Amino acid sequence: MPKTDNINSIIDHKLFTEEDIHNMCVKLGKQLTADYAGKKPLIVGALKGAIFFLTDLVREMDVKAEIDFLDVSSYGDEMESSGEVKLISDLATDVKDRDVLIVEDIVDTGLTLEYMKNLLKKRGARSVKCCVLLNKEANRTSDVEVEYYGSKVGNEFVVGYGLDFMNYYRNLRYIGVLKPEIIKLVNNK
Ligand code: PRP
């Protein structure tokens, strides 16, 4: 947790504790272990937000898996999706004939996930599914399927455990809801 900031000044309340997050990882890990039994999936983490979830999730999966990362962004430093997804850095692994599992911290509009799924299918992946920690459906504009998720969330701005506000606060151990006045401050700049 950042020591240089008073975290209470930006967080309204905790939404998920470390224990809640751990329990979600254990549950999803069990499900994925069963569903990917006998397969050698390629786990694709979407940088940067997914790194914390991915490292905890894969350690709950008893599966022979490879790990790689894609960096895609639709937000930059903005509070709302630009609607345009950009590929910032690509995978090192060939996905042809692979069972790919995309790991994401959050699905909001769904545009980032749709872009990644389409890209990987176009490259010849055998299957492309996703496992998302938080499923935020209020602003969904894509009908992309979310096969696995930890929890649904409302239309709140969440930070911590990989989720950022202006690229900060990813390193909080819990997930908190940002105070609405902080969002207003930034929007009025
Ligand atoms: C966030 C998040 C997802 C995406 C979800 O990434 O990690 O990838 O937005 O939004 P969407 O469903 O509306 O497309 P962001 O682009 O902020 O990059 P980051 O992971 O580096 O924070």
Side-chain angles (χ1 to χ4, degrees):
M1 176 175 147
K3 302 277 189 291
T4 48
D5 246 344
N6 178 6
I7 198 69
N8 295 325
S9 65
I10 70 135
I11 299 288
D12 189 70
H13 59 278
K14 274 190 191 179
L15 195 58
F16 299 107
T17 64
E18 277 188 81
E19 196 189 349
D20 296 331
I21 296 168
H22 174 70
N23 291 340
M24 289 191 243
C25 292
V26 170
K27 196 172 164 198
L28 289 167
K30 279 197 183 128
Q31 240 179 307
L32 292 165
T33 299
D35 293 358
Y36 283 90
K39 296 180 179 164
K40 290 179 189 159
L42 174 68
I43 316 271
V44 171
L47 294 171
K48 304 187 260 306
I51 54 168
F52 300 83
F53 177 44
L54 184 141
T55 56
D56 285 340
L57 179 71
V58 292
R59 285 177 292 172
E60 301 298 336
M61 290 173 65
D62 188 6
V63 168
K64 192 169 178 183
E66 264 186 273
I67 297 171
D68 203 345
F69 294 94
L70 256 186
D71 194 357
V72 285
S73 194
S74 62
Y75 285 76
D77 286 345
E78 303 303 318
M79 306 284 287
E80 282 178 21
S81 171
S82 62
E84 184 200 352
V85 184
K86 286 185 199 142
L87 178 60
I88 295 170
S89 115
D90 208 339
L91 295 170
T93 315
D94 184 0
V95 300
K96 192 161 176 5
D97 298 329
R98 299 297 304 266
D99 292 304
V100 179
L101 180 70
I102 297 169
V103 175
E104 263 286 27
D105 52 350
I106 192 164
V107 181
D108 188 1
T109 63
L111 292 173
T112 308
L113 184 59
E114 182 180 275
Y115 173 90
M116 289 190 290
K117 279 192 165 184
N118 287 340
L119 180 75
L120 299 172
K121 280 183 205 156
K122 231 190 291 167
R123 290 178 180 177
R126 184 188 299 131
S127 66
V128 184
K129 291 185 178 179
C130 74
C131 180
V132 171
L133 184 64
L134 303 181
N135 191 358
K136 192 186 215 183
E137 292 178 320
N139 306 317
R140 193 67 46 85
T141 55
S142 159
D143 58 4
V144 68
E145 192 178 346
V146 178
E147 286 85 1
Y148 304 91
Y149 63 87
S151 178
K152 291 192 180 182
V153 284
N155 197 14
E156 308 154 304
F157 198 103
V158 279
V159 293
Y161 195 67
L163 295 147
D164 72 301
F165 167 57
M166 310 288 282
N167 260 315
Y168 289 103
Y169 309 112
R170 294 189 199 270
N171 55 330
L172 294 178
R173 290 179 179 274
Y174 60 88
I175 294 171
V177 174
L178 201 66
K179 284 185 177 170
E181 56 264 36
I182 302 288
I183 301 170
K184 275 188 210 137
L185 263 179
V186 173
N187 285 341
N188 291 339
K189 260 191 184 172

